[in-house]
Amino acid sequence: MDLIVVKNATCTYCGCLCDDIELHASHERVLKAKHACVLGRAWFFNHPNQHALPAALIDGRPATVDSALQAAAAILDDADMPLVYGLGNSTCESQRAAMMLAEQIGAVIDSHTSLTYGPGKIAGQLTGKLTCTLGEVKNRADFVVYWGTNPVESHPRHFNKFALRAKGKFVPRGRRDRTMVLVDVRETPSARASDQFLQIRSGADLEVLTTLRALVNNRTVDRGLVAATGLTCEQLVDLAERMKQARFGVFFFGSGLTMTRGKHANVTALLSLTAELNAFTKFAAMPMRDYGNETGADAVMNSLAGYPFGLDYSRGYPRSNPGEFTAVDVLVRQEADAALIVAADPWTTMPQAALDHLDRIPRIVIDRKITPASLAARVHFTTAAPGISEAGTAYRMDRIPFPLRPALRSPHATDEDILDGIQNALRAT
Ligand code: SF4
């Protein structure tokens, strides 16, 4: 058996996009993923042997790619409001092809962002944001605050590679040169790694952040109102002072902040606090992006349409209105009459009312494997997996693009090929 070795491969499972993975593979499977964490290894090892999978299905039965492209084009051509959804696990090249197709068919197009970090995008538009790269965090950050996120379980190498234990130019002793605070509503495994864990009441993020803003700016606060957050005034005074005294501080925030009560108001308060801390020291904020190339989807949509998610092309030009043109909303209101799902699993992330409508309309699924959703779809395409059997580009959570170095060669097309193929089939109708 020939062994394929690929050095500096990039793992696209989570937003850390670790680019130091050494892959050892046979022609069909990844056998070893050196440096990958437990989630990364599962991502590489559980990739199916695609040689055994049909390239396409129509109504659950194997079909040629050409006939499936024709069937997909017919569904989209008949639709008045097609929905294109997913993209967080595709390459930027495929995301661009999806945007082109959405424009061609006048579709609503939305990414995973609307279900994870969308409120953060709205907050950034309202207040602006001060951010940095993970390289700067590694080399400079001596005060790290994780808010509403549990990196030990969601981004397992974030501590070691960038933010906590990594040795950097101005923090040469790594963990001993850094202070870590975790703010969350429950004690997660990440709390054990922190110097201080602040457990706040569920839904009190906005109140805690607003109090911190007041304290950083030397305003008085009401002790009784602070107590309702689950923390004491002394704890928040201490945190505000330590943040002001840091040399380089950073907030990493997760969906525990963006998708809980307050949503974009929470992130607006956090970004405002970040800006205000810069009157005293250097502070930055960064979201903990979940899907491997969710950040790339935002970047591609921004560069092509001027908006990061929740777009509508039905008038021939892009409009964005989260809450109106976001995937869950057009499904719950039963407006979408066909759906093209690109490398996503709405069945694990969307509310039941959206799934009920998704079950009623014709669906086209593009995925790496055959899933129950593929078998129930009118048309399914099997495609190569980014970073495993497909080259391309993906963006890390700090918006740095990385090339993908696959170890396997897929017998199937890429998402981009299929999306281009549907465009061509539509032009021919
Ligand atoms: S931290 Fe994320 S990107 Fe890095 S190896 Fe683990 S799953 Fe992959």
Side-chain angles (χ1 to χ4, degrees):
M1 180 181 71
D2 294 339
L3 189 68
I4 302 158
V5 178
V6 177
K7 296 194 172 174
N8 300 322
T10 302
C11 173
T12 58
Y13 185 78
C14 83
C16 288
L17 231 61
C18 297
D19 63 334
D20 57 350
I21 311 295
E22 184 175 306
L23 295 178
H24 294 206
S26 67
H27 285 285
E28 293 175 349
R29 284 202 168 277
V30 174
L31 306 170
K32 186 173 169 189
K34 202 168 155 189
H35 304 312
C37 70
V38 62
L39 297 180
R41 287 199 297 277
W43 163 244
F44 285 113
F45 297 160
N46 293 340
H47 181 63
N49 176 3
Q50 289 198 315
H51 294 267
L53 300 179
L57 301 173
I58 297 177
D59 293 326
R61 287 190 286 277
T64 64
V65 171
D66 279 347
S67 57
L69 288 173
Q70 298 299 328
I75 291 168
L76 296 175
D77 202 30
D78 279 350
D80 289 327
M81 190 188 244
L83 167 68
V84 180
Y85 172 73
L87 307 173
N89 290 319
S90 292
T91 64
C92 293
E93 291 77 1
S94 301
Q95 291 162 349
R96 183 178 180 281
M99 285 288 283
M100 295 296 154
L101 175 61
E103 184 172 12
Q104 182 180 355
I105 59 178
V108 167
I109 180 166
D110 191 26
S111 74
H112 288 111
T113 292
S114 65
L115 290 173
T116 54
Y117 178 61
K121 288 281 164 192
I122 297 168
Q125 289 165 352
L126 289 172
T127 60
K129 60 186 171 190
L130 286 155
T131 190
C132 62
T133 67
L134 287 172
E136 286 174 283
V137 171
K138 178 185 171 185
N139 284 308
R140 296 177 182 277
D142 63 341
F143 200 89
V144 183
V145 183
Y146 287 93
W147 199 302
T149 181
N150 174 17
V152 165
E153 291 181 328
S154 60
H155 301 74
R157 295 187 74 204
H158 201 267
F159 285 167
N160 283 356
K161 203 161 183 290
F162 308 114
L164 192 60
R165 302 191 189 101
K167 292 180 179 166
K169 186 164 182 182
F170 301 105
V171 278
R173 298 181 304 159
R175 181 68 182 90
R176 282 185 291 155
D177 283 334
R178 302 183 204 260
T179 300
M180 175 194 154
V181 176
L182 176 72
V183 184
D184 211 338
V185 296
R186 65 190 172 92
E187 189 169 344
T188 63
S190 298
R192 285 196 286 278
S194 67
D195 296 296
Q196 184 180 23
F197 169 53
L198 296 175
Q199 184 164 10
I200 63 173
R201 294 231 167 93
S202 178
D205 302 78
L206 180 59
E207 288 79 359
V208 174
L209 286 161
T210 306
T211 305
L212 283 170
R213 288 184 64 195
L215 293 170
V216 163
N217 291 298
N218 293 324
R219 304 251 165 82
T220 50
V221 296
D222 184 317
R223 282 180 167 272
L225 291 176
V226 172
T229 66
L231 300 179
T232 63
C233 222
E234 287 69 27
Q235 284 175 304
L236 290 180
V237 167
D238 173 61
L239 178 58
E241 281 308 311
R242 287 195 296 150
M243 289 193 298
K244 284 161 77 172
Q245 285 162 16
R247 279 185 293 137
F248 187 116
V250 60
F251 288 112
F252 288 108
F253 58 99
S255 53
L257 185 75
T258 61
M259 296 307 286
T260 52
R261 177 178 168 266
K263 289 193 170 180
H264 76 274
N266 294 342
V267 190
T268 301
L270 183 128
L271 296 179
S272 299
L273 173 62
T274 308
E276 287 158 2
L277 282 165
N278 277 270
F280 305 94
T281 184
K282 170 71 184 168
F283 234 92
M286 193 184 303
M288 298 286 285
R289 304 306 296 266
D290 296 315
Y291 295 93
N293 198 23
E294 203 177 273
T295 308
D298 300 350
V300 169
M301 288 199 193
N302 251 335
S303 68
L304 293 176
Y307 307 104
F309 70 106
L311 297 180
D312 170 50
Y313 274 106
S314 63
R315 291 189 183 170
Y317 57 85
R319 296 182 295 159
S320 174
N321 192 11
E324 183 177 10
F325 303 130
T326 28
V328 166
D329 299 281
V330 295
L331 290 169
V332 169
R333 288 196 305 268
Q334 304 186 15
E335 291 170 351
D337 54 356
L340 168 59
I341 299 164
V342 185
D345 185 1
W347 285 266
T348 57
T349 51
M350 284 191 181
Q352 192 57 46
L355 299 178
D356 288 345
H357 186 62
L358 205 48
D359 278 337
R360 285 192 284 269
I361 59 178
R363 298 192 304 274
I364 305 153
V365 169
I366 299 178
D367 211 330
R368 331 293 173 216
K369 51 194 180 304
I370 311 278
T371 63
S374 310
L375 295 171
R378 288 284 305 284
V379 182
H380 160 90
F381 296 96
T382 307
T383 51
I388 298 179
S389 54
E390 179 190 1
T393 311
Y395 277 66
R396 199 167 64 182
M397 64 171 70
D398 56 352
R399 301 196 297 170
I400 302 293
F402 284 82
L404 306 181
R405 299 186 177 87
L408 303 180
R409 188 173 295 173
S410 174
H412 302 300
T414 62
D415 296 348
E416 183 186 12
D417 296 333
I418 296 300
L419 292 161
D420 286 346
I422 296 174
Q423 275 197 76
N424 292 335
L426 279 161
R427 282 192 201 104
T429 56

